[in-house]
Structure formats: C-alpha cells, structure tokens
Amino acid sequence: MTRMKIRTWVPALSLVFAAASFGAQLQQPAGPMTDVAPAPAAAAQPPSQATAPSGVPSATQGAATPATSSAPAAPSAPAARVEVPVGTHLPLVLHNAISTRSARPGDPVYFETVFPIMVDGRVVIPAGSYVSGEVTQSKRAGRVKGRAELAVKLTTMILPNAYEVNLAAAPSNAGTGGGETTNSEGTIVGDSDKASDAGTIIRSTEAGTAIGAGVGAAAGHIGEGVGVGAGAGAAAGLMAVLLTRGPDAELPRGTTLEAVLDRPIMLDADKVQFTSPGTSTALSGPPNREPQRQKVPF
C-alpha cells in the first residue's frame, strides 16, 4: 500500500519541479544577441532631434524661421532726387498788388510761374506752379531824399500735382509798368520823380513872377515886383516839394518778376513725372504809369 502511494506522487512531484525550473529560466535576463547588431542611437532619432557635440550649435538651433526671426530688415534704398540748381531763374507773375503805401512786413505775396523749368531734358517745374512769400521790408520815400523800397522773399512752391516744396529766392528784375528798379540785394526801389519836382518848382516860380510883375506894375516898380514874385514863387514850389513824399514803390497785379534761387531745390523724382510744360493763368500786364509824388505828406 505504501509503495502504491509513493509511485503515485513521484510523477506529480517531477512535474512540479520541472515547472519551477522552467519558470526560473523565464525570469532570468536574456543574453546578448550575437547574430543581430544593435541599431545606432543617432539613427533612431529624427534629424531635427539629433544632439550636437557639446559647445557646437546644431544646424536646426542656428536656423531662424520667418515667423520668429528677430533680425532687422534691410534698409530700403532712398528715393531718387532731382536737383534744381542754385541760380536758376523763375519767371513769375504777381497775383496781388503791393505798394509801399500800405504794405507791411509779413504781408503775403502770391505769384505763379509763367515758363516751365527743365532739368536733364524733362519738365520738373511746369508753368502754372504757385509760389508764395511775404513782404520783408516796406519803406516809403522821404520828403527831401530817399526812395521808396520794397523787399519780398519767396518761401514756398506748389506744383500742379499739389506737391509742395520749400524754396529760397529773391527778385532780380521786375516789370511794374513804372520806374521801379531792382538793386543787387533784390530790393525793389521806387522812382525819384526828379522831373516832377523840377516842374513843381518851375511852375511855382512862373506863377510867382506873374503875380510879382502885376503888383510891381501897380506900384510903379515892375522890376522889383518881378524879382520879388519870382523869389516867392520859387520858395513856394520848393516848399511844396519838401512837404510831399516821393513816389511809392508799386507792384500792380500782373507785374512780371524774375526770381533767382538762393539755394538748390531737391525734388522727389517720382513726384515730378510731368509730361506737359503746363499752362499759366492769363493776366494782363500793368499799364505804363508816370511816377507821382504823394500829395498828402503823411
């Protein structure tokens, strides 16, 4: 009976030991495989995640994408400019009359160009461009000596396309219809009216002589009367001249004036693409006039 039991449990124990031995083998780490080489670590990573050697920036780290780039943009090329040189003459016509009788420093003056200005074969200032400025000096003529003087400066020009530029120009010549002249400093000087002064004295002398002759004849001393009357008439004529001012310097509407640039004008090339010489306003020139003394001595 005992032998029967031992024979029954021996196979069972053998199976238990075999299972335990097989489980222990499964828990042990597998040995290196000698038939398959391990893959390189760098190859397993994507190119964008590969690490570079210490101290050397990788290609992906140094590259900047357009969205995150902080590099300053390259400066744009400056716009092309056209230069109107110093000494260029601007033919102008006056739109508002000016006179030393009423003008004051700071009063505005308005002109218009009557002839196009060209640079390198193209129109840069068409006729019909507006020029503005102001009166800088207004001096009336003296009673004994000194002529009237009027000075203006031109400061701004507006082209037909509304392009506005600064300028510095002074008059060099003026057609006023009278005896005004322009000196080397660009000041417009009035006439002296010497002929009128002499005529006033002569007429007063003649009138005094006639009166003296009549008085002398009545008193029986014609010669003395003529001399006294002539002297009195001359004195009266001279007094009339001394009590009145010389002629004012006047620039009537329509006066033509030629201005000269004191410094160059720099124009943006893309704003002076004119294909026509332009057209100025038709203004009649001032009529010819004789200089006259101001009868009111103020």
Side-chain angles (χ1 to χ4, degrees), residues 28-46:
Q28 293 180 357
M33 299 179 65
T34 58
D35 55 343
V36 179
Q45 296 179 358

mmCIF file of all heavy atoms in Angstrom, residues 28-46:
data_model
loop_
_atom_site.group_PDB
_atom_site.id
_atom_site.type_symbol
_atom_site.label_atom_id
_atom_site.label_comp_id
_atom_site.label_asym_id
_atom_site.label_seq_id
_atom_site.Cartn_x
_atom_site.Cartn_y
_atom_site.Cartn_z
ATOM 1 N N GLN A 28 15.113 34.918 -15.715
ATOM 2 C CA GLN A 28 16.481 35.374 -15.931
ATOM 3 C C GLN A 28 16.573 36.251 -17.177
ATOM 4 O O GLN A 28 15.891 35.993 -18.152
ATOM 5 C CB GLN A 28 17.429 34.174 -16.066
ATOM 6 C CG GLN A 28 17.580 33.385 -14.779
ATOM 7 C CD GLN A 28 18.525 32.188 -14.960
ATOM 8 O OE1 GLN A 28 19.006 31.950 -16.069
ATOM 9 N NE2 GLN A 28 18.769 31.437 -13.872
ATOM 10 N N PRO A 29 17.413 37.411 -17.156
ATOM 11 C CA PRO A 29 17.538 38.279 -18.367
ATOM 12 C C PRO A 29 18.157 37.529 -19.515
ATOM 13 O O PRO A 29 19.038 36.698 -19.341
ATOM 14 C CB PRO A 29 18.458 39.426 -17.895
ATOM 15 C CG PRO A 29 19.210 38.867 -16.752
ATOM 16 C CD PRO A 29 18.312 37.897 -16.079
ATOM 17 N N ALA A 30 17.637 37.930 -20.696
ATOM 18 C CA ALA A 30 18.137 37.257 -21.904
ATOM 19 C C ALA A 30 19.537 37.715 -22.218
ATOM 20 O O ALA A 30 19.870 38.889 -22.066
ATOM 21 C CB ALA A 30 17.206 37.522 -23.082
ATOM 22 N N GLY A 31 20.376 36.913 -22.666
ATOM 23 C CA GLY A 31 21.761 37.228 -23.009
ATOM 24 C C GLY A 31 21.836 38.017 -24.290
ATOM 25 O O GLY A 31 20.872 38.137 -25.048
ATOM 26 N N PRO A 32 22.996 38.653 -24.544
ATOM 27 C CA PRO A 32 23.153 39.456 -25.789
ATOM 28 C C PRO A 32 23.008 38.597 -27.005
ATOM 29 O O PRO A 32 23.458 37.456 -27.048
ATOM 30 C CB PRO A 32 24.571 40.026 -25.657
ATOM 31 C CG PRO A 32 25.271 39.081 -24.742
ATOM 32 C CD PRO A 32 24.268 38.561 -23.800
ATOM 33 N N MET A 33 22.369 39.210 -27.990
ATOM 34 C CA MET A 33 22.180 38.514 -29.274
ATOM 35 C C MET A 33 23.378 38.793 -30.139
ATOM 36 O O MET A 33 23.699 39.938 -30.436
ATOM 37 C CB MET A 33 20.892 38.990 -29.955
ATOM 38 C CG MET A 33 19.638 38.713 -29.122
ATOM 39 S SD MET A 33 18.138 39.320 -29.922
ATOM 40 C CE MET A 33 18.138 38.257 -31.351
ATOM 41 N N THR A 34 24.016 37.809 -30.515
ATOM 42 C CA THR A 34 25.262 37.955 -31.285
ATOM 43 C C THR A 34 25.029 37.943 -32.765
ATOM 44 O O THR A 34 25.892 38.361 -33.528
ATOM 45 C CB THR A 34 26.231 36.798 -30.928
ATOM 46 O OG1 THR A 34 25.574 35.560 -31.204
ATOM 47 C CG2 THR A 34 26.619 36.866 -29.464
ATOM 48 N N ASP A 35 23.835 37.544 -33.196
ATOM 49 C CA ASP A 35 23.612 37.453 -34.628
ATOM 50 C C ASP A 35 23.029 38.721 -35.220
ATOM 51 O O ASP A 35 23.024 38.904 -36.430
ATOM 52 C CB ASP A 35 22.694 36.255 -34.957
ATOM 53 C CG ASP A 35 21.394 36.326 -34.198
ATOM 54 O OD1 ASP A 35 21.348 37.095 -33.208
ATOM 55 O OD2 ASP A 35 20.434 35.637 -34.575
ATOM 56 N N VAL A 36 22.483 39.694 -34.380
ATOM 57 C CA VAL A 36 21.883 40.948 -34.881
ATOM 58 C C VAL A 36 22.570 42.105 -34.180
ATOM 59 O O VAL A 36 22.557 42.175 -32.951
ATOM 60 C CB VAL A 36 20.369 40.989 -34.621
ATOM 61 C CG1 VAL A 36 19.789 42.310 -35.128
ATOM 62 C CG2 VAL A 36 19.701 39.810 -35.280
ATOM 63 N N ALA A 37 23.178 43.077 -34.929
ATOM 64 C CA ALA A 37 23.869 44.243 -34.344
ATOM 65 C C ALA A 37 22.853 45.270 -33.901
ATOM 66 O O ALA A 37 21.862 45.514 -34.582
ATOM 67 C CB ALA A 37 24.827 44.864 -35.354
ATOM 68 N N PRO A 38 23.109 45.894 -32.744
ATOM 69 C CA PRO A 38 22.143 46.914 -32.274
ATOM 70 C C PRO A 38 22.153 48.135 -33.173
ATOM 71 O O PRO A 38 23.190 48.527 -33.704
ATOM 72 C CB PRO A 38 22.660 47.253 -30.864
ATOM 73 C CG PRO A 38 24.101 46.900 -30.889
ATOM 74 C CD PRO A 38 24.225 45.708 -31.816
ATOM 75 N N ALA A 39 21.003 48.767 -33.356
ATOM 76 C CA ALA A 39 20.890 49.961 -34.209
ATOM 77 C C ALA A 39 21.540 51.150 -33.520
ATOM 78 O O ALA A 39 21.436 51.299 -32.308
ATOM 79 C CB ALA A 39 19.410 50.267 -34.478
ATOM 80 N N PRO A 40 22.242 52.049 -34.261
ATOM 81 C CA PRO A 40 22.867 53.236 -33.647
ATOM 82 C C PRO A 40 21.810 54.134 -33.031
ATOM 83 O O PRO A 40 20.716 54.285 -33.557
ATOM 84 C CB PRO A 40 23.572 53.925 -34.812
ATOM 85 C CG PRO A 40 23.694 52.881 -35.861
ATOM 86 C CD PRO A 40 22.546 51.941 -35.679
ATOM 87 N N ALA A 41 22.200 54.770 -31.914
ATOM 88 C CA ALA A 41 21.243 55.646 -31.216
ATOM 89 C C ALA A 41 20.888 56.859 -32.053
ATOM 90 O O ALA A 41 19.768 57.313 -32.077
ATOM 91 C CB ALA A 41 21.822 56.072 -29.861
ATOM 92 N N ALA A 42 21.855 57.411 -32.766
ATOM 93 C CA ALA A 42 21.599 58.605 -33.576
ATOM 94 C C ALA A 42 20.652 58.322 -34.702
ATOM 95 O O ALA A 42 19.863 59.152 -35.109
ATOM 96 C CB ALA A 42 22.914 59.167 -34.111
ATOM 97 N N ALA A 43 20.746 57.081 -35.265
ATOM 98 C CA ALA A 43 19.863 56.744 -36.382
ATOM 99 C C ALA A 43 18.439 56.612 -35.931
ATOM 100 O O ALA A 43 17.516 56.794 -36.706
ATOM 101 C CB ALA A 43 20.326 55.450 -37.047
ATOM 102 N N ALA A 44 18.251 56.252 -34.663
ATOM 103 C CA ALA A 44 16.895 56.080 -34.165
ATOM 104 C C ALA A 44 16.196 57.397 -33.948
ATOM 105 O O ALA A 44 14.988 57.443 -33.827
ATOM 106 C CB ALA A 44 16.913 55.264 -32.865
ATOM 107 N N GLN A 45 16.935 58.493 -33.825
ATOM 108 C CA GLN A 45 16.322 59.797 -33.582
ATOM 109 C C GLN A 45 16.072 60.512 -34.900
ATOM 110 O O GLN A 45 16.854 60.370 -35.832
ATOM 111 C CB GLN A 45 17.233 60.661 -32.701
ATOM 112 C CG GLN A 45 17.440 60.084 -31.311
ATOM 113 C CD GLN A 45 18.358 60.965 -30.489
ATOM 114 O OE1 GLN A 45 18.832 61.967 -30.997
ATOM 115 N NE2 GLN A 45 18.590 60.574 -29.244
ATOM 116 N N PRO A 46 15.021 61.353 -34.974
ATOM 117 C CA PRO A 46 14.783 62.166 -36.191
ATOM 118 C C PRO A 46 15.900 63.180 -36.349
ATOM 119 O O PRO A 46 16.544 63.575 -35.387
ATOM 120 C CB PRO A 46 13.441 62.857 -35.915
ATOM 121 C CG PRO A 46 12.856 62.148 -34.753
ATOM 122 C CD PRO A 46 13.944 61.480 -34.009
#
